[in-house]
């Protein structure tokens, strides 16, 4: 959606989805949202330079959302 945030993983930032989920959603348990939005298999090791889509939690079920392809 147009409300998505995009973040580039660098050597200076955390590269684990659970930490990114905590930073953007306030809870590490939403790591799977970032994984689904970015087709990531290993949520604990994201290569530096990756640009990740961070969708708002409220948009998950909307048309084009992570859970409503």
């Amino acid at each position: 959606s147009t409300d998505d945030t995009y973040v580039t993983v660098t050597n200076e930032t955390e590269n684990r989805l659970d930490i990114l989920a905590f930073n953007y959603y306030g809870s590490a348990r939403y790591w799977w949202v970032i994984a689904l939005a970015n087709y990531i298999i290993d949520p604990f090791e994201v290569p530096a330079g990756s640009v990740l889509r961070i969708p708002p939690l409220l948009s998950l079920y909307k048309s084009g959302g992570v859970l409503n392809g």
Side-chain angles (χ1 to χ4, degrees), residues 2-3 9 12 27 29-30 33 36 39 41 45 57 61 69:
T2 58
D3 296 326
V9 176
E12 293 81 33
S27 176
R29 70 181 177 172
Y30 293 115
V33 174
L36 279 175
Y39 308 102
I41 296 171
E45 198 61 42
L57 287 177
Y61 292 98

Side-chain angles (χ1 to χ4, degrees), residues 24-40:
Y24 285 92
Y25 300 132
S27 176
R29 70 181 177 172
Y30 293 115
W31 64 268
W32 61 270
V33 174
I34 301 170
L36 279 175
N38 295 282
Y39 308 102
I40 294 174

Side-chain angles (χ1 to χ4, degrees), residues 4-10 13-14 17 20 23-24 34 38 46-47 49-54:
D4 291 348
T5 299
Y6 291 88
V7 62
T8 301
V9 176
T10 67
T13 61
E14 297 294 343
L17 298 188
L20 287 169
N23 290 339
Y24 285 92
I34 301 170
N38 295 282
V46 180
S50 299
V51 177
L52 300 180
R53 174 181 164 215
I54 314 287

